[in-house]
Amino acid sequence: MPYRLFLIPLFAFLLIGTSCGVIEDAELSPSYASLEAGFRNPPAQAKPRVWWHWMNGNITQEGIAKDLEWMARVGIGGVQNFDAAMETPVVVNKRLSFMSDEWQEAMRYAVKKADSLGLEFAIASSPGWSLTGGPWVAPEDAMKKLVWSQQVIEGGARIDVVLPQPPAIPGPFQDLPAQHKHAHNPEALPESFYRDAVVLAYPLDSLSEVTPAFTYRINGDVVDSTLLTDSSLTTGIDLPKGQGRTPASIELISEVPQTLASARLHVLNMTNDLMRGPMQPVLQVQEAPGQWRNLAVIEPGTVPTTVSFEPVTGSHFRLLFQRGRPSSPFSFVPTPGIDPTSLMGLGGGKPAKPLLVELQLFSHPKVHAFEAKAAFRHVDDYVSLDKHAWQAEGISPQRVQNISRFMSKDGRLRWTAPEGRWKILRLGYSLTGKTNSP
């Protein structure tokens, strides 16, 4: 279809060039006469075809007739029908949903009307850009993600416990709910879906994976840290606000020095500011009163961000919410996970308030940026993920045991664990909740 749109202007340019005196007074040959006649009354195959978008079900037979009659009158040769949405408001009395009985009747009318006008009619094979998604796709066949729960047990005896079931709600990561755009109906998704995959166990060293205790303070006031350390991505606190020229921050204070090697952060509804720049959280340790040292710059995204750094000991840490460099409006790249239409006046409604849902500090190293490495979030440059990260030795695969056979279908684990502390990982899969969207 597009090649016709480019060839016709080029063809017209050549004709204009030949009419500027070269054969102005000469008798036209039959081929030139045919060419001129073709431009005065183009054949159907030379007329341009256009995309004809049906936006968000705003369809009536009266509108269909007016569109097609106008296109035939101005010389358009045909259409490619394309069902789309893109946050378009509903302006008709009754919105015609894609593939509903009313929508199909409107399509039949459009095809017959186009045929009566001599217009070629083509149909894009999908709404949006893909027909692979829709309510007809069973949950078993839908897009899935890996989910997990974990539990520490003491070995040396027979274990008989019910392992916590991993999150089962649709969403991009663990219990983070799915976000829907373009008038998608969340009720079309199942409330939950989960299947077990594997149960793994590995031994813990005597001091490994000890969660340090901190008091969380914002502007001197103690806040409920359980909302930030419960590993749930559905609860949290309002994002701290700065005071004057002082950036917003949240302080973590311990009565005794703690050794830290990693951290995890997640902020819901993080927005980018075209004038002030994107929010750039920085984790710091206090080395002396009023003297802070950066440990890690955290890149926020659509899912939590884990950072690993060289182990450091201290009793006073803070997360500083400073601003990064503003982007030019002409080279604007939004914060990962932010819908750019909401920043350009195309989105629907007021943006949601930022919410700090997870802030945890760990005494043991973790895989740096594992969320991106495991494809839970997209980054443009995977090679640079470890550029400034502290690399620690991971768990040897030889120490990991597959104990799936010891768990029954109801999640009960019956296993005689060897001596020592063990971490049990119950891994399964649930739905991403991803729906079609251009």
Side-chain angles (χ1 to χ4, degrees):
M1 183 274 296
Y3 72 89
R4 293 175 178 137
L5 300 180
F6 290 104
L7 286 180
I8 289 174
L10 177 61
F11 198 20
F13 172 77
L14 293 175
L15 179 65
I16 293 171
T18 60
S19 65
C20 295
V22 179
I23 56 172
E24 184 177 354
D25 298 323
E27 184 178 349
L28 293 177
S29 67
S31 61
Y32 278 110
S34 174
L35 185 63
E36 182 183 27
F39 265 86
R40 293 185 185 279
N41 186 23
Q45 65 267 26
K47 292 180 180 180
R49 273 66 171 164
V50 296
W51 273 354
W52 186 31
H53 285 77
W54 286 10
M55 300 300 294
N56 201 17
N58 286 292
I59 309 160
T60 64
Q61 291 194 10
E62 180 185 9
I64 289 171
K66 288 183 177 180
D67 278 0
L68 294 176
E69 289 170 357
W70 175 83
M71 285 187 270
R73 187 168 64 250
V74 300
I76 290 172
V79 300
Q80 184 179 54
N81 176 271
F82 208 129
D83 203 89
M86 295 297 290
E87 311 288 357
T88 305
V90 176
V91 296
V92 293
N93 292 330
K94 182 179 181 180
R95 175 179 178 269
L96 303 189
S97 299
F98 176 73
M99 289 303 292
S100 65
D101 291 342
E102 296 89 346
W103 185 95
Q104 293 187 47
E105 178 59 34
M107 178 59 69
R108 280 190 289 270
Y109 175 80
V111 172
K112 291 179 180 178
K113 183 68 175 179
D115 186 56
S116 70
L117 295 170
L119 295 175
E120 181 181 281
F121 198 103
I123 303 174
S125 62
S126 64
W129 288 348
S130 172
L131 199 57
T132 58
W136 53 85
V137 177
E140 290 78 8
D141 300 325
M143 298 293 290
K144 301 177 182 69
K145 66 178 184 292
L146 193 68
V147 289
W148 60 91
S149 67
Q150 54 190 13
Q151 186 169 342
V152 176
I153 65 168
E154 292 292 339
R158 183 169 176 78
I159 303 301
D160 189 340
V161 296
V162 176
L163 300 177
Q165 180 184 291
I169 67 170
F173 183 87
Q174 291 291 80
D175 67 339
L176 193 63
Q179 299 292 320
H180 303 282
K181 301 188 301 178
H182 308 316
H184 286 307
N185 181 11
E187 295 179 359
L189 293 170
E191 291 184 4
S192 64
F193 176 88
Y194 174 79
R195 298 291 185 271
D196 279 307
V198 65
V199 181
L200 302 177
Y202 62 89
L204 297 176
D205 298 330
S206 58
L207 297 178
S208 65
E209 304 208 15
V210 176
T211 302
F214 287 98
T215 299
Y216 288 54
R217 293 180 179 272
I218 297 178
N219 298 327
D221 297 327
V222 177
V223 297
D224 186 1
S225 61
T226 59
L227 298 175
L228 304 176
T229 59
D230 58 3
S231 297
S232 171
L233 302 176
T234 60
T235 58
I237 64 175
D238 290 339
L239 196 68
K241 294 182 179 180
Q243 296 180 323
R245 295 186 177 183
T246 303
S249 67
I250 180 168
E251 298 185 32
L252 298 91
I253 304 170
S254 174
E255 295 181 358
V256 296
Q258 303 278 1
T259 298
L260 303 181
S262 59
R264 183 175 298 134
L265 169 74
H266 188 53
V267 180
L268 277 178
N269 312 316
M270 178 73 83
T271 57
N272 195 347
D273 191 305
L274 289 176
M275 301 301 294
R276 295 184 296 163
M279 192 70 76
Q280 189 69 78
V282 179
L283 182 63
Q284 299 177 322
V285 60
Q286 182 176 265
E287 297 185 321
Q291 295 182 10
W292 297 88
R293 176 168 64 89
N294 289 356
L295 296 177
V297 176
I298 304 176
E299 296 292 342
T302 54
V303 301
T305 302
T306 297
V307 293
S308 194
F309 43 85
E310 185 174 1
V312 59
T313 300
S315 57
H316 199 169
F317 299 84
R318 74 175 179 183
L319 186 69
L320 191 68
F321 292 93
Q322 60 186 21
R323 288 283 177 181
R325 243 173 127 180
S327 301
S328 163
F330 303 102
S331 61
F332 173 63
V333 178
T335 300
I338 302 302
D339 179 8
T341 60
S342 67
L343 302 171
M344 297 183 287
L346 301 177
K350 187 178 179 180
K353 192 175 182 180
L355 188 71
L356 180 62
V357 299
E358 186 170 20
L359 174 56
Q360 294 196 66
L361 305 183
F362 305 102
S363 60
H364 54 285
K366 291 182 174 288
V367 176
H368 181 78
F370 89 84
E371 298 89 352
K373 294 173 181 175
F376 286 109
R377 62 175 286 195
H378 169 77
V379 295
D380 292 328
D381 186 0
Y382 286 86
V383 176
S384 66
L385 284 175
D386 290 335
K387 187 175 181 181
H388 301 294
W390 170 259
Q391 298 299 326
E393 184 178 354
I395 300 167
S396 171
Q398 285 72 33
R399 303 181 67 194
V400 179
Q401 295 190 31
N402 185 338
I403 59 172
S404 303
R405 65 187 183 277
F406 300 114
M407 189 185 76
S408 56
K409 291 183 178 180
D410 61 357
R412 182 171 293 277
L413 178 68
R414 297 180 177 91
W415 177 50
T416 303
E419 291 284 347
R421 296 171 65 244
W422 290 79
K423 170 162 280 191
I424 310 298
L425 291 177
R426 180 181 178 184
L427 295 103
Y429 52 91
S430 60
L431 304 181
T432 67
K434 187 66 175 176
T435 53
N436 281 3
S437 174

